[in-house]
Amino acid sequence: MNASKPVRVRTLTVGLSLTSDLADDTNFDRVEGAVAVLKRGQKAFAAAGHEVQTLRIAINPVLAGQTAGERERSLGPLERLDALATASGVMVGIGPVIEADRDDVDVAPWATELVRRTRSLYFSAVVASQDGGTHSDGALAAARIMTSLSQAVPDGMGNFRFAAAANIPAGTPFFPVAWHAGPQSLAMGVESASLVEEVFASAPRQRAGAELVAALHEVLIPLERTGAEWAAREQRIWRGIDTSPAPLQDRSIAAAIEALTHMPFGSVSTLEACSIITSAVRSLNVTRCGYCGLMLPVLEDPVLAQRAGEGRYGIRDLLLYSSVCGTGLDVVPIPGDTSVDTLHGLLKDVAALSVRLSKPLSARLLLMPGRKAGEMARFNDPLLTDCVVMKVD
């Protein structure tokens, strides 16, 4: 299928293990080596005719078990890591800073300082795990972090680099929740919302899922071939593709859903369309990793933002769509005065859904300072869309 808006590679992601002493010079040598791997990969994909948007490194969660003092001492090495990443045009996921089910009142101010002093580092806190179930105390810590980060930098954008993570597997290429375990690895995420829209615009409804599978196979199998060959040359494990059809500005997943339902996103039959897409991306004959679900990032999709402003769906609807299966709550603007208790309850809902359905979910919530539900949140970032602030409860 020759799409008018070709599928883009949203991310090439290297999985990399660092030593627990972040100041160790060998860690920076490893990161520089990973940057070189990514640059070679980008050239390989470009030679095969594929646009690569971002290059990313996900590391093992070396910060998760640290004491407050150890975290403070890590800020210097993290600034050095950030400087290297920023100069190289690479983003780095430092993994969860909390893994165990525990509240930590010291981590929120530390996270705020981290965001103020860096530009290219992303991180998370675990709120659910397959072996530990819902992490109520971990969700409380994550809520404290979100509240603190809302004041870290202008426009509440500190929370863009942080998310609560529920059952996120190692090797997930998408940020902010990406983390690494095991041998060095390579993975990729794709931006294929425009392809979904083109298929749904012409496919008979009863054939929509099958035709989407065929169209995605036509694109993703060659992409995987390029990725696997890249991994073989670099002598790294190939994790595969997160087949989630990520949208971004000119490629809207909400528009794709509306092409199938012939109704505005949030109307009846939206849930069915979400299920059709998810079934398709989870049945593909490629090596899969990460979410492999439906991404509904409110601020990155102009149609999603428009429908939110029209009051056609809310946060509870996004959770409902996640059940069939989305990736949770992503870049959702909420009132700046949302309490820690309310955030805690919402994060526990996300965690409970993740545990009950044994699926990866995350919550990236942008508290908008000085904004209440129904007011507009405006952004200078060209990748984000102005949107109404959404009601939480």
Side-chain angles (χ1 to χ4, degrees), residues 14 16 31-32 34 44 89 92 102 119 122-123 147 154 157 171-172 188 205 210 242 248 258 275 285 294 314 337:
V14 168
L16 182 67
V31 171
E32 288 178 342
V92 176
R102 62 182 177 89
R119 295 174 53 190
Y122 293 71
F123 61 109
T147 300
M157 286 299 292
T172 300
M188 65 185 294
R205 189 170 185 123
D242 189 326
L248 189 66
E258 293 181 359
S275 181
N285 188 27
L294 179 67
D337 62 357

Side-chain angles (χ1 to χ4, degrees), residues 101 123 150 214 223 232 239 264 268 274 279 284 296 302 349:
D101 185 11
F123 61 109
S150 69
L223 276 173
R239 292 268 194 179
V268 292
C274 292
S279 295
L284 296 172
L296 299 172
D349 283 350

Side-chain angles (χ1 to χ4, degrees), residues 20 25 30 48 112 140 164 205 225-226 321 342 365 382:
S20 58
D25 285 341
R30 293 176 189 177
T112 300
L140 179 56
R205 189 170 185 123
R225 187 180 305 117
T226 300
Y321 304 148
T342 298
L365 306 172

Side-chain angles (χ1 to χ4, degrees), residues 14 38 113 116 165 200 255 279 292 315 333-334 339 345 355:
V14 168
L38 287 167
E113 190 65 16
R116 285 175 176 159
F200 284 176
S279 295
C292 294
I315 288 177
I334 63 174
S339 69
V355 171

Side-chain angles (χ1 to χ4, degrees), residues 315-316 319 329 342-350 365 392:
I315 288 177
R316 292 292 164 184
L319 282 176
L329 304 175
T342 298
L343 285 170
H344 184 210
L346 180 56
L347 295 180
K348 286 193 294 181
D349 283 350
V350 173
L365 306 172
V392 178

Side-chain angles (χ1 to χ4, degrees), residues 108-137:
W110 174 87
T112 300
E113 190 65 16
L114 174 69
V115 166
R116 285 175 176 159
R117 290 165 61 170
T118 63
R119 295 174 53 190
S120 302
L121 304 187
Y122 293 71
F123 61 109
S124 63
V126 174
V127 299
S129 59
Q130 202 57 50
D131 56 350
T134 300
H135 291 196
S136 179
D137 286 343

Side-chain angles (χ1 to χ4, degrees), residues 17-52:
S17 289
L18 302 184
T19 67
S20 58
D21 179 8
L22 285 173
D24 187 342
D25 285 341
T26 62
N27 285 329
F28 298 94
D29 292 340
R30 293 176 189 177
V31 171
E32 288 178 342
V35 170
V37 168
L38 287 167
K39 300 289 188 181
R40 290 192 291 268
Q42 186 177 34
K43 289 181 179 179
F45 278 93
H50 304 296
E51 177 186 354
V52 177

Side-chain angles (χ1 to χ4, degrees), residues 48-331:
H50 304 296
E51 177 186 354
V52 177
Q53 283 192 311
T54 64
L55 304 177
R56 308 181 185 187
I57 299 170
I59 69 170
N60 50 316
V62 294
L63 296 163
Q66 290 187 342
T67 65
E70 288 170 334
R71 277 198 302 264
E72 285 299 319
R73 290 190 290 275
S74 74
L75 282 171
L78 287 171
E79 282 187 286
R80 180 181 170 190
L81 174 61
D82 178 72
L84 172 57
T86 302
S88 304
V90 171
M91 297 183 287
V92 176
I94 60 176
V97 295
I98 295 178
E99 281 187 309
D101 185 11
R102 62 182 177 89
D103 186 16
D104 186 335
V105 296
D106 296 316
V107 74
W110 174 87
T112 300
E113 190 65 16
L114 174 69
V115 166
R116 285 175 176 159
R117 290 165 61 170
T118 63
R119 295 174 53 190
S120 302
L121 304 187
Y122 293 71
F123 61 109
S124 63
V126 174
V127 299
S129 59
Q130 202 57 50
D131 56 350
T134 300
H135 291 196
S136 179
D137 286 343
L140 179 56
R144 296 188 200 279
I145 292 171
M146 289 178 177
T147 300
S148 185
L149 289 183
S150 69
Q151 302 296 327
V153 293
D155 301 324
M157 286 299 292
N159 275 302
F160 188 79
R161 293 199 268 144
F162 172 78
N167 279 315
I168 303 297
T172 300
F174 283 110
F175 281 23
V177 296
W179 65 284
H180 173 69
Q184 293 189 35
S185 62
L186 304 175
M188 65 185 294
V190 293
E191 191 177 291
S192 56
S194 59
L195 180 60
V196 180
E197 182 180 1
E198 292 202 12
V199 170
F200 284 176
S202 59
R205 189 170 185 123
Q206 65 273 19
R207 289 278 307 158
E211 293 199 12
L212 179 57
V213 169
L216 287 170
H217 269 147
E218 187 175 339
V219 173
L220 296 187
I221 287 175
L223 276 173
E224 166 152 55
R225 187 180 305 117
T226 300
E229 290 171 351
W230 170 45
R233 286 193 301 272
E234 302 292 349
Q235 298 183 314
R236 284 165 169 79
I237 300 296
W238 172 243
R239 292 268 194 179
I241 302 174
D242 189 326
T243 55
S244 304
L248 189 66
Q249 292 300 327
D250 62 336
R251 290 160 166 81
S252 167
I253 195 63
I257 289 170
E258 293 181 359
L260 181 65
T261 65
H262 303 293
M263 301 178 73
F265 180 92
S267 304
V268 292
S269 73
T270 297
L271 183 67
E272 180 199 18
C274 292
S275 181
I276 290 171
I277 295 170
T278 299
S279 295
V281 300
R282 289 196 163 188
S283 64
L284 296 172
N285 188 27
V286 295
T287 305
R288 289 179 284 118
C289 63
Y291 292 104
C292 294
L294 179 67
M295 291 186 168
L296 299 172
V298 176
L299 294 177
E300 294 179 345
D301 186 315
V303 180
L304 280 177
Q306 178 184 344
R307 300 302 181 228
E310 294 168 357
R312 295 187 181 276
Y313 70 94
I315 288 177
R316 292 292 164 184
D317 299 294
L318 291 175
L319 282 176
L320 175 64
Y321 304 148
S322 292
S323 70
V324 293
C325 140
T327 56
L329 304 175
D330 195 18
V331 283

